[in-house]
């Protein structure tokens, strides 16, 4: 079985990539676009496994696990998440000066929208004239977010969330003790990656519970309750951003009219909460005062 067959849903994308691989006509630069949680990173590993090890085997398994020396990975660093030019240059050196055990090599660029001008320029030459046998696979949340100079040199494919029933079945299989698989599939709109992340640890589950509690407090217009809940996030920047992301998921579920998601928000309150959460996330990302940003959030959510 081809590794791409492991990717749920997105049949058109899988068929196009598989056909190009079989015909030997796969572009040397692939851009996989999909919002967080839909599996663009997993799709990239599946494509890399099929490219490097078309017959499967242990080598393909290493690629899928993200542990293959044939896959060179570049991602964002630091608070900004930017992809730095130094890292691109390092990978360029690795491409030319290390031996291969597979038939080729893959360079994965995760979050290509985080390439800045310098790192993008350092990558352009390789995309225009790639070394023989090297496949570039870029992922991004949206095609529009990628610099035009990079985007124009790639063949782009879009990934979408799977149907909620498919997501629920996956969650039941991988989390057999989870009684609310259908609710989480609906809450996250079929985004397997997001649902899996929230169910994979006690801390993630607790944060999801806080997001749903915050949504309920917003619906009740309980300012004191919202302030009390948000206190523990005032000095935890990453945790606060995750909380806000999960709150927006509850808002989206309400606006989609998904009864299975059991969102505590009415559509009107969901619109207000989504806007407030988005603006608060922007303030925190810009290194604003966390305590002040969350205090203002509590006031807006319950206005």
């Amino acid at each position: 079985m081809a590794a791409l067959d492991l990717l749920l849903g997105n049949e058109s994308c899988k068929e196009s990539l598989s056909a190009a691989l079989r015909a030997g006509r796969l572009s040397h630069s692939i851009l996989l676009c999909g919002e967080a949680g839909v599996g663009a990173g997993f799709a990239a590993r599946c494509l890399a496994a099929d490219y490097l090890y078309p017959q499967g085997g242990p080598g393909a398994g290493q690629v899928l696990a993200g542990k293959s020396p044939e896959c060179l990975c570049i991602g964002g660093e630091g608070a900004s998440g930017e992809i730095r030019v130094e890292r691109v240059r390092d990978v360029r050196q690795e491409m030319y000066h290390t031996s291969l055990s597979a038939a080729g090599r893959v360079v994965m660029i995760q979050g290509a929208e985080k390439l800045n001008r310098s790192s993008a320029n350092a990558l352009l030459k390789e995309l225009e004239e790639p070394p023989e046998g090297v496949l570039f696979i870029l992922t991004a949340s949206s095609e529009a977010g990628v610099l035009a100079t990079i985007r124009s040199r790639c063949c782009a494919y879009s990934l979408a969330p799977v149907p909620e029933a498919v997501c629920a079945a996956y969650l039941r299989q991988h989390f057999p003790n989870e009684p609310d698989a259908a609710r989480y599939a609906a809450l996250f709109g079929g985004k397997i990656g997001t649902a899996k992340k929230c169910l994979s640890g006690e801390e993630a589950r607790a944060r999801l519970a806080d997001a749903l509690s915050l949504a309920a407090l917003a619906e009740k217009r309980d300012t004191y309750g919202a302030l009390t809940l948000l206190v523990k996030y005032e000095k935890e920047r990453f945790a606060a951003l995750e909380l806000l992301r999960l709150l927006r998921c509850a808002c989206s579920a309400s606006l989609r009219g998904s009864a299975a998601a059991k969102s505590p928000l009415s559509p009107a309150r969901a619109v207000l909460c989504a806007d407030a959460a988005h603006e608060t996330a922007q303030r925190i990302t810009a290194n604003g005062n966390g305590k002040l940003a969350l205090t203002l959030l509590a006031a807006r959510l319950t206005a």
Side-chain angles (χ1 to χ4, degrees):
M1 181 177 70
L4 277 168
D5 292 335
L6 299 173
L7 182 66
L8 298 179
N10 295 287
E11 296 304 326
S12 177
C13 176
K14 289 193 296 186
E15 289 171 7
S16 296
L17 289 170
S18 297
L21 273 171
R22 289 193 299 269
R25 295 180 179 177
L26 187 70
S27 170
H28 62 265
S29 301
I30 300 295
L31 174 60
L32 299 176
C33 299
E35 57 186 314
V38 303
F42 180 64
R45 294 196 300 276
C46 289
L47 176 59
D50 285 342
Y51 174 76
L52 293 171
Y53 298 96
Q55 305 305 318
Q62 279 192 313
V63 176
L64 290 173
K67 299 178 180 179
S68 172
E70 274 69 50
C71 284
L72 306 176
C73 295
I74 303 174
E77 300 175 46
S80 67
E82 276 195 339
I83 297 176
R84 297 174 179 170
V85 64
E86 293 83 6
R87 180 57 184 142
V88 174
R89 290 170 178 161
D90 289 344
V91 167
R92 283 169 52 185
Q93 293 294 317
E94 290 181 65
M95 279 194 303
Y96 289 104
H97 296 103
T98 53
S99 59
L100 299 171
S101 60
R105 171 146 290 172
V106 170
V107 176
M108 289 190 190
I109 302 173
Q110 301 165 331
E113 67 270 30
K114 294 295 187 179
L115 285 162
N116 57 37
R117 294 287 177 183
S118 297
S119 54
N121 287 336
L123 183 64
L124 280 179
K125 185 176 184 297
E126 306 306 328
L127 293 181
E128 290 171 344
E129 300 177 14
E132 185 176 354
V134 174
L135 172 65
F136 290 89
I137 306 178
L138 293 73
T139 66
S141 56
S142 72
E143 190 174 347
V146 180
L147 289 170
T149 51
I150 298 294
R151 190 171 66 240
S152 64
R153 289 162 174 80
C154 299
C155 186
Y157 296 82
S158 295
L159 295 161
V162 302
E164 290 178 11
V166 174
C167 182
Y170 177 93
L171 295 178
R172 290 190 190 99
Q173 179 184 355
H174 290 82
F175 301 93
N177 297 321
E178 177 51 64
D180 289 329
R183 182 191 186 189
Y184 293 129
L187 185 64
F188 298 120
K191 298 174 188 173
I192 289 178
T194 303
K196 184 177 178 181
K197 181 179 179 180
C198 284
L199 297 176
S200 294
E202 291 303 316
E203 185 176 356
R205 284 175 178 266
R207 197 168 295 143
L208 175 59
D210 279 350
L212 294 174
S213 295
L214 185 59
L217 291 166
E219 187 65 30
K220 295 175 185 176
R221 303 189 184 185
D222 184 348
T223 306
Y224 176 77
L227 285 168
T228 302
L229 187 153
L230 290 169
V231 164
K232 63 183 175 183
Y233 290 94
E234 291 177 353
K235 296 181 180 180
E236 299 292 336
R237 180 172 175 272
F238 173 77
L241 291 173
E242 280 293 293
L243 178 75
L244 294 170
R245 182 180 65 84
L246 294 171
L247 176 60
R248 292 199 298 272
C249 288
C251 295
S252 296
S254 174
L255 294 172
R256 290 196 308 271
S258 175
K262 303 176 185 176
S263 174
L265 291 164
S266 63
R269 182 62 49 172
V271 172
L272 184 152
C273 289
D275 288 343
H278 176 69
E279 291 177 12
T280 303
Q282 287 184 317
R283 291 192 186 100
I284 293 175
T285 301
N287 293 319
N289 184 297
K291 180 177 181 179
L292 177 59
L294 294 177
T295 300
L296 292 173
L297 172 68
R300 285 195 61 187
L301 293 179
T302 57

